[in-house]
Amino acid sequence: EREGVYMPNVFSPNGDGSNDVFYVQSDNSVSIVKQFYVFSRWGEAVFSASDILPNNPGLGWDGTCRGELLNSGVYVYYVEAELINGAKVIIKGDVLLIR
């Protein structure tokens, strides 16, 4: 957990209802997620969202890009969040997609 934001390091979008979506999770210190990007290992943006609320799986990445299922592998994410106190935090890392 960094600055009230928690990003899982693995997800499995297989439709079983458990860990199917990669999304920004936070405590109540985060007011809004300004930017949320996921990139392939080649730097292609496979997902992006702006000005979203945290803790909403409906606003996360489902492991697809342009309607295509992406392969298992490591993807890089970038999150820029704004805290309730007005501070901005940037969180970068990677997530393992398992099919």
Side-chain angles (χ1 to χ4, degrees), residues 1-48:
E1 185 172 330
R2 291 165 280 185
E3 301 291 338
V5 176
Y6 169 72
M7 300 298 293
N9 56 7
V10 177
F11 82 119
S12 58
N14 57 11
D16 69 356
S18 175
N19 209 16
D20 284 332
V21 179
F22 179 63
Y23 61 100
V24 180
Q25 300 173 44
S26 75
D27 62 18
N28 59 7
S29 68
V30 175
S31 64
I32 193 163
V33 176
K34 300 298 284 177
Q35 302 289 332
F36 175 28
Y37 292 102
V38 181
F39 300 95
S40 71
R41 72 180 98 179
W42 301 280
E44 177 191 10
V46 296
F47 175 82
S48 67

Side-chain angles (χ1 to χ4, degrees), residues 52-97:
I52 61 171
L53 294 174
N55 302 315
N56 185 340
L59 301 175
W61 180 46
D62 63 1
T64 65
C65 181
R66 293 186 289 281
E68 299 290 319
L69 294 179
L70 295 179
N71 292 329
S72 294
V74 176
Y75 294 81
V76 175
Y77 64 83
Y78 170 91
V79 174
E80 180 183 321
E82 188 172 302
L83 304 182
I84 289 173
N85 66 11
K88 287 192 174 32
V89 295
I90 293 175
I91 296 101
K92 303 175 196 175
D94 54 59
V95 61
L96 176 60
L97 184 160

